[in-house]
Amino acid sequence: VQLQASGGGLVQPGDSLRLSCAASGRTFKVYSAGWFRQAPGKEREFVASISYRDHRRLYADSVKGRFTISRDNDKTTAFLEMHTLKPEDTAVYYCAASPYPNDIVSERRYDYWGQGTQVTVSS
């Protein structure tokens, strides 16, 4: 699976962004999708995931209630809608695909990664 993340940019605190992750290659329908992020000087961390089996969604505590992950299997695309953005959300955001239907918080459960898209939240 090849993944292409897009939609990042420079926004002000409180703004919204929608990230997209376009998949190609193998059937995206049988892969769970996840979003991770890496801020400068920090390790990459889990943001959100959605299972391919039951579309169960998981979120990091830091983004619950503000971010929403979704997927469109027909268009082989996953999305991350981000609202009420904060400066601490600034990071490179990566999408990833996992062959597992659950227990997909750890990045070790993901086989394919996109190139990352920069999100900067600053006034």
Side-chain angles (χ1 to χ4, degrees), residues 11-17 62-67 81-89 121:
V11 297
Q12 294 186 340
D15 284 352
S16 299
L17 273 179
S62 58
V63 306
K64 279 182 182 177
R66 300 189 298 121
F67 290 12
E81 292 199 29
M82 307 184 294
H83 299 286
T84 319
L85 283 162
K86 304 175 181 180
E88 51 263 44
D89 294 318
V121 185

Side-chain angles (χ1 to χ4, degrees), residues 104-118:
I104 49 176
V105 173
S106 171
E107 60 180 80
R108 292 176 294 180
R109 300 282 279 179
Y110 291 80
D111 291 348
Y112 303 99
W113 292 82
Q115 86 290 359
T117 184
Q118 177 71 46

